[in-house]
Amino acid sequence: MKVEIWSDFMCPFCYIGKRRFESALEQFPHKDQVEVVYRSFELDPNASYKPGVSMDELLAAKYGMSVEQAKAANANVTQQAASVGLTYHMDRVIPANSFDAHRLVHFAAQHGKMKDMTERLFRAYFTDAENLEDKNLLADLAAEVGLEQEQAMAVLESDAFQSEVRADEAAATNLGIRGVPFFVLGGKYAVSGAQPLEVFTDALDKAYREANPLVMVNESDSNDGMCADGSCDLPGSAK
């Protein structure tokens, strides 16, 4: 069963939602049969690194609130992150464009490192307060997860994997996805937002049962409620 996750590294709820989904998946009895694929999504394709501009100031300008209100909102997000074991430094986060980071994930996917690269990029942004527009940094992060640093830099300095990022974004548009995180399970069930663990648990259950319906074999061999073929009915029950 495939689970596709659309997210953006600039989105604080995407990292929180990722962790909640992972907790639900860890408890899922069929987790070994689940393939997780991360899809690209840019909340602001026109975003760019602006030295000296804080996340508080950016949030205040975007939503027409005071800087103090933005600080309070970011403090709330930081508490939510802490509840799932994540450390956020929203006062030091560097707003930037995420396009190259998404391209790097597609490069990592070719080498079996999609999950590792995705996790490292989220941590770099929210915990380490790194600038994800810095290609040198991105190449260093690629090396940290076991990719070839020079090869990663070559990818970042080219236009490689641009079409893959755009394809993910086009798929999101076709599905009507307007915000992230967004989870599609088994191609049929969707979860929008950083929902509580039980929502993900329920979605995994439903998607798995849909993909793996129970088929009864030799149902006619009931033997009038007696034990037969390794199966016993309760007294008085009918098949």
Side-chain angles (χ1 to χ4, degrees):
M1 182 178 76
K2 180 182 289 187
V3 176
E4 298 169 277
I5 306 174
W6 276 263
S7 59
D8 189 12
F9 299 108
M10 304 294 117
C11 167
F13 292 104
C14 287
Y15 200 9
I16 295 169
K18 177 179 182 293
R19 204 49 105 240
R20 288 176 178 167
F21 169 77
E22 288 169 345
S23 295
L25 182 59
E26 185 59 31
Q27 300 173 23
F28 187 56
H30 310 290
K31 63 183 178 182
D32 293 340
Q33 299 176 47
V34 177
E35 175 192 7
V36 178
V37 178
Y38 291 95
R39 301 295 188 192
S40 305
F41 191 99
E42 295 174 274
L43 285 171
D44 184 1
N46 298 313
S48 62
Y49 168 56
K50 297 179 177 62
V53 178
S54 70
M55 179 58 75
D56 294 330
E57 293 168 330
L58 189 68
L59 194 64
K62 182 176 181 178
Y63 293 104
M65 61 176 69
S66 69
V67 173
E68 289 306 313
Q69 287 174 316
K71 286 182 179 179
N74 282 329
N76 179 265
V77 170
T78 299
Q79 289 180 349
Q80 291 188 51
S83 72
V84 293
L86 299 174
T87 301
Y88 278 15
H89 295 295
M90 298 299 291
D91 57 327
R92 295 194 287 114
V93 159
I94 301 173
N97 188 284
S98 60
F99 188 68
D100 283 340
H102 285 299
R103 290 199 298 129
L104 189 61
V105 170
H106 282 281
F107 165 66
Q110 282 197 342
H111 299 275
K113 296 287 186 179
M114 173 178 272
K115 293 180 183 178
D116 295 334
M117 194 75 258
T118 298
E119 175 66 24
R120 187 64 188 93
L121 287 164
F122 271 122
R123 179 159 60 88
Y125 187 69
F126 288 107
T127 303
D128 302 335
E130 301 279 13
N131 179 5
L132 294 192
E133 263 187 64
D134 185 336
K135 288 182 171 60
N136 289 313
L137 168 75
L138 293 176
D140 288 344
L141 296 178
E144 283 188 28
V145 302
L147 296 168
E148 175 56 49
Q149 186 173 21
E150 290 184 6
Q151 192 177 2
M153 179 58 79
V155 165
L156 292 165
E157 290 181 335
S158 72
D159 60 1
F161 300 102
Q162 288 188 9
S163 59
E164 285 83 351
V165 174
R166 297 306 181 208
D168 282 353
E169 294 174 338
T173 298
N174 290 337
L175 288 171
I177 300 172
R178 299 179 60 83
V180 287
F182 196 92
F183 305 76
V184 176
L185 300 89
K188 182 172 182 178
Y189 292 92
V191 176
S192 178
Q195 297 294 334
L197 184 145
E198 56 268 22
V199 174
F200 289 115
T201 299
D202 185 55
L204 283 166
D205 246 2
K206 288 179 178 177
Y208 184 82
R209 280 189 273 116
E210 178 80 18
N212 300 274
L214 183 66
V215 177
M216 297 301 297
V217 180
N218 294 331
E219 188 173 9
S220 62
D221 297 335
S222 62
N223 199 29
D224 296 325
M226 300 297 289
C227 293
D229 297 327
S231 175
C232 295
D233 292 335
L234 290 173
S237 66
K239 289 202 174 184

